[in-house]
Amino acid sequence: MNFKYNFWQTKFTKQLLSLLGLFILTASSLWAQPGGGIEMADKLREDGKIWVVVGVIVLIFIGIITYLIRLDRKISRLEKQVRKE
């Protein structure tokens, strides 16, 4: 049995290189932005409304995490029932 392990042809390596390429493309486009800043964010910071935005984002993430935890518990419970049967 003649099996050669080629690191560059593995699925993991291809995914890693794709992710690295995506990161480089995204980072380069972010670095190309003008240095003046974002007017909307500056305005929200001046008015003190940025904390409302941050709060809403935090609430959304808490909701998503809670949903995923509950879903995991339900799936675990169903898996235990299937194993018993």
Side-chain angles (χ1 to χ4, degrees):
M1 191 175 214
N2 190 5
F3 176 72
K4 292 183 179 181
Y5 178 75
N6 190 351
F7 178 75
W8 297 107
Q9 292 182 350
T10 63
K11 185 176 181 181
F12 173 73
T13 305
K14 290 179 183 178
Q15 289 175 346
L16 185 63
L17 289 174
S18 297
L19 186 63
L20 182 62
L22 180 65
F23 173 73
I24 289 172
L25 288 174
T26 305
S28 65
S29 68
L30 289 175
W31 291 325
Q33 298 294 323
I38 301 171
E39 294 177 23
M40 181 181 65
D42 292 338
K43 181 68 173 158
L44 286 172
R45 251 184 247 114
E46 289 173 6
D47 295 343
K49 294 180 183 178
I50 193 73
W51 297 112
V52 174
V53 174
V54 170
V56 169
I57 292 172
V58 167
L59 285 175
I60 290 171
F61 277 123
I62 288 172
I64 291 172
I65 291 170
T66 304
Y67 171 75
L68 290 175
I69 290 171
R70 290 184 67 211
L71 186 64
D72 182 53
R73 288 180 183 170
K74 287 180 182 180
I75 290 173
S76 297
R77 196 175 325 132
L78 287 173
E79 286 175 345
K80 286 179 184 179
Q81 287 178 357
V82 168
R83 286 186 198 140
K84 287 182 180 180
E85 295 175 1

